[in-house]
Amino acid sequence: MNNRKVIVVLGMHRSGTSAITKSLELFGVSLGEKLYGASFDNPKGFWEDEECLRINQELLSINGYEYNSIIKAPDLENEKVKSLFLEAVSIVARNVERYKLWAFKDPRTCRHLNFWQSVFEKVGCEVNYIFVSRNPISVAKSLNKRNHLDLESSYFLWAQHVYMAVSTMKHRCLFLDYDDFMDNNKNNISKISNFLNVVPNNDKVSEYSTEFLSNKLRHTKFSELDVVNNSSIPNFVKSIFLPLDKVAKSGMPDYEVNKELLLNKSSADDFNYTCRYIESLERQQNNSWLKLSEKEKVINEFREHSDQLILKEIELSKQHQLHVNQLENELNEVKSSRIYRFAKKIQGILSR
């Protein structure tokens, strides 16, 4: 029996992963000591390990990606990725040794799962996934409100987070739906209990359900039919969402990931092609912005140098005027002197 265990909570941004991650403490699961703090967009906390979050952010930045970019999975042969791999191994090994059950979550992990699974293999720990799904319309509207991200981009991001996570998974997974979790909290906590084979602390369950969970955390709720009838949502997003939604709301979950059921091959091929194309366009755009930024830097340096020359010219002009004024004053003093007046009279007499 492997006593080194990690639970990884997966799911797209704005999908309720924070609320469900917090529920794991009911089962004696530790979330670590250094957690990313709460903010206006998540007032009850993100419950994200700062070190794991940093690793994921640096994996994105290696290729110039942002959280809202369409990306390629990390290249495990890249030297910078290898360096982060060693850091991640140290982080995971330390936590699974320290805690009987340790969990971490960060939506970015979905698209870096190839990296993290290689880390888990190196550490030799037992891995369990909890994937939190949420209606893509709710996710898109939440991102639009928080980050002003257009709905179409959010649908692509939602699909890529789901696809890259599910298609890469090598370990058992419990799929949960955020709306169902909010509406049927006790039932979903029982699902987690069965999955982990751990009985929750009943006193803490009551406190969590009444004091932590709140419908104020959820601002929108949409149905499966809303997705089906929404013409702005691409078909491949619908083809990913519909089977995922069914599995996540199932009363009898199957922990073995059925990729053939969840990922329609023809739709997946179209989706992957589209993602590669978008990633290529975004990369070209970023390169263009970089070149533009470099040219703007040169222009700004030229303008700064030009401004300095203008200031120097103004200073020299002032100094020249002061010198001229000084010479005129000296000349006027000479002209007003007796010697000058006498010399002037002599000059007049001699010129007759």
Side-chain angles (χ1 to χ4, degrees):
M1 181 178 178
N2 194 339
N3 292 321
R4 297 151 63 90
K5 298 179 180 180
V6 60
I7 302 163
V8 185
V9 180
L10 302 167
M12 170 61 180
H13 298 272
R14 316 307 293 165
S15 290
T17 54
S18 298
I20 292 173
T21 300
K22 176 64 176 174
S23 76
L24 296 180
E25 291 185 326
L26 306 175
F27 302 91
V29 176
S30 174
L31 305 178
E33 296 178 355
K34 296 181 180 179
L35 299 178
Y36 184 69
S39 70
F40 75 95
D41 55 328
N42 213 341
K44 294 201 173 184
F46 289 90
W47 310 104
E48 294 176 354
D49 183 277
E50 285 187 348
E51 291 183 304
C52 294
L53 174 60
R54 177 184 59 80
I55 294 290
N56 277 326
Q57 288 174 327
E58 290 189 24
L59 284 171
L60 286 175
S61 66
I62 284 173
N63 290 305
Y65 295 137
E66 301 289 344
Y67 85 95
N68 59 344
S69 303
I70 295 297
I71 73 170
K72 291 180 179 178
D75 177 7
L76 302 184
E77 297 303 314
N78 180 289
E79 291 303 318
K80 292 181 180 179
V81 174
K82 287 181 178 180
S83 177
L84 290 174
F85 172 82
L86 295 177
E87 286 189 60
V89 167
S90 176
I91 292 166
V92 173
R94 183 176 70 248
N95 282 288
V96 296
E97 288 290 344
R98 181 180 300 174
Y99 306 111
K100 183 178 179 180
L101 278 173
W102 174 64
F104 79 91
K105 80 94 175 171
D106 174 14
R108 298 164 186 81
T109 306
C110 290
R111 300 192 290 174
H112 298 155
L113 201 55
N114 68 322
F115 171 88
W116 285 103
Q117 284 188 151
S118 65
V119 170
F120 302 145
E121 289 172 8
K122 182 68 175 179
V123 174
C125 55
E126 179 184 316
V127 184
N128 292 287
Y129 296 127
I130 295 178
F131 190 96
V132 185
S133 176
R134 190 183 186 190
N135 191 297
I137 302 176
S138 293
V139 170
K141 287 188 176 294
S142 181
L143 284 171
N144 178 260
K145 182 178 180 180
R146 186 185 72 170
N147 303 95
H148 309 293
L149 201 63
D150 61 89
L151 300 181
E152 290 75 14
S153 295
S154 294
Y155 293 142
F156 270 93
L157 284 171
W158 181 94
Q160 193 180 49
H161 278 72
V162 175
Y163 180 84
M164 291 184 75
V166 173
S167 64
T168 309
M169 284 180 183
K170 294 181 180 179
H171 306 281
R172 64 202 293 266
C173 180
L174 172 64
F175 290 90
L176 298 175
D177 176 77
Y178 175 62
D179 287 322
D180 188 55
F181 187 89
M182 295 295 290
D183 296 336
N184 304 289
N185 179 241
K186 290 183 178 180
N187 180 50
N188 279 275
I189 287 177
S190 294
K191 284 186 181 181
I192 297 174
S193 177
N194 293 333
F195 178 65
L196 299 179
N197 196 26
V198 179
V199 177
N201 183 312
N202 287 328
D203 292 335
K204 290 185 176 180
V205 169
S206 177
E207 180 183 345
Y208 170 80
S209 299
T210 57
E211 296 185 18
F212 183 85
L213 285 187
S214 168
N215 274 320
K216 290 181 180 179
L217 297 173
R218 177 175 58 174
H219 304 289
T220 59
K221 182 181 177 181
F222 294 93
S223 68
E224 175 185 323
L225 198 58
D226 291 323
V227 174
V228 172
N229 293 332
N230 191 322
S231 59
S232 68
I233 299 178
N235 286 331
F236 55 75
V237 175
K238 296 177 182 179
S239 72
I240 293 174
F241 169 71
L242 296 176
L244 176 65
D245 187 60
K246 185 177 179 179
V247 169
K249 293 176 180 175
S250 171
M252 297 289 290
D254 182 0
Y255 306 140
E256 298 303 319
V257 181
N258 188 336
K259 297 180 183 180
E260 291 183 3
L261 171 66
L262 292 171
L263 304 174
N264 179 282
K265 188 177 185 308
S266 61
S267 295
D269 289 342
D270 290 342
F271 174 64
N272 281 327
Y273 175 82
T274 305
C275 284
R276 287 195 298 271
Y277 181 63
I278 293 174
E279 192 273 342
S280 174
L281 291 178
E282 288 184 345
R283 186 178 294 278
Q284 291 177 40
Q285 183 185 52
N286 288 337
N287 289 336
S288 296
W289 280 114
L290 183 61
K291 290 179 181 178
L292 180 61
S293 176
E294 291 173 351
K295 291 184 182 299
E296 286 181 340
K297 183 180 178 181
V298 172
I299 291 172
N300 289 333
E301 289 176 350
F302 175 79
R303 285 174 176 168
E304 184 178 347
H305 183 64
S306 177
D307 290 341
Q308 290 175 351
L309 289 176
I310 291 171
L311 290 174
K312 187 67 175 176
E313 181 183 6
I314 292 172
E315 181 63 26
L316 289 173
S317 177
K318 287 180 179 179
Q319 292 178 5
H320 173 73
Q321 188 60 47
L322 285 172
H323 187 59
V324 170
N325 292 341
Q326 183 179 358
L327 290 176
E328 287 180 344
N329 290 334
E330 291 176 355
L331 180 61
N332 289 333
E333 287 179 3
V334 170
K335 287 181 177 179
S336 62
S337 67
R338 288 182 177 181
I339 296 175
Y340 179 82
R341 290 198 299 271
F342 178 75
K344 198 73 172 171
K345 288 180 180 179
I346 295 300
Q347 184 182 20
I349 293 171
L350 294 175
S351 63
R352 292 176 183 175

